[in-house]
């Protein structure tokens, strides 16, 4: 009789330990997910007034590590210069009309879409807000994306 009680107690303790370990793992996993979602404090860079930028043109901001692209329809994209393969700095080559990475030859079009591997996803974009006609680019919070789409464009 006491043997049965022991087994029951052991079983209870095992289940209790498993439950505690499982809850710990869930807690750790949730915290890892939250950490991935954490945004940095915005660091807004004033790129200039909307009228300064011609439609269809690309403007480098080398120190801040982005290009500001004003699309032909007047919208804006701020493209990170960090290659999405392994992080080298891409440069826009006007003769070839594309961004090229010097490290492993990935290429991207003006909207950041991949033209040539090994990169597999588009260049990150930096969030843009327009404050009293001035384009403000958040250089601390690049946004990852698989491909370019029109919802990523900011209009004045
Ligand atoms: S880091 Fe750009 S292609 Fe590898």
């Amino acid at each position: 009789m006491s043997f049965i009680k022991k087994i029951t107690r052991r079983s209870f303790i095992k289940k209790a330990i498993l439950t505690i370990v499982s809850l710990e793992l869930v807690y750790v996993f949730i915290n890892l997910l939250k950490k991935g979602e954490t945004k940095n404090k915005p660091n807004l860079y004033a790129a200039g007034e909307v009228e300064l930028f011609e439609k269809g043109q690309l403007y480098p901001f080398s120190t801040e590590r982005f290009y500001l692209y004003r699309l032909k329809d007047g919208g804006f994209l701020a493209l990170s210069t960090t290659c999405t393969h392994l992080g080298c700095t891409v440069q826009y080559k006007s003769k070839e009309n594309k961004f090229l990475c010097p490290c492993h030859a990935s290429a991207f079009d003006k909207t950041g879409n991949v033209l040539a591997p090994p990169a597999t996803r588009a260049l990150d974009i930096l969030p843009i807000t327009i404050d009293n006609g001035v384009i403000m680019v958040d250089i601390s919070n690049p946004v990852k994306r698989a491909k370019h789409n029109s919802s990523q464009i900011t209009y004045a």
Side-chain angles (χ1 to χ4, degrees), residues 45 47-50 52-62 65-81 92 94 97-99 108-113 115 122-130 135-137 145 148-150 152-156:
Y45 175 79
E49 292 182 5
V50 169
L52 292 175
F53 302 100
E54 289 181 34
K55 291 177 182 176
Q57 297 298 308
L58 200 59
Y59 298 87
F61 290 84
S62 304
R65 300 182 48 80
F66 74 90
Y67 281 83
L68 185 66
Y69 178 33
R70 187 164 198 189
L71 290 89
K72 289 180 181 164
D73 69 357
F76 289 93
L77 275 178
L79 298 156
S80 168
T81 60
Y92 183 70
S94 55
N97 196 29
K98 59 188 169 188
F99 293 97
F108 306 86
D109 70 14
K110 275 178 153 177
T111 62
N113 276 332
L115 294 173
L123 293 172
D124 294 348
I125 53 171
L126 303 175
I128 294 176
T129 50
I130 298 175
I135 298 169
M136 307 297 289
V137 180
R145 58 198 183 136
H148 171 71
N149 70 60
S150 58
Q152 299 158 353
I153 301 169
T154 302
Y155 292 92

Side-chain angles (χ1 to χ4, degrees), residues 83-90 101-106 108 117-119:
C83 180
T84 55
H85 178 227
L86 292 176
C88 292
T89 300
V90 301
C101 181
C103 293
H104 313 102
S106 285
F108 306 86

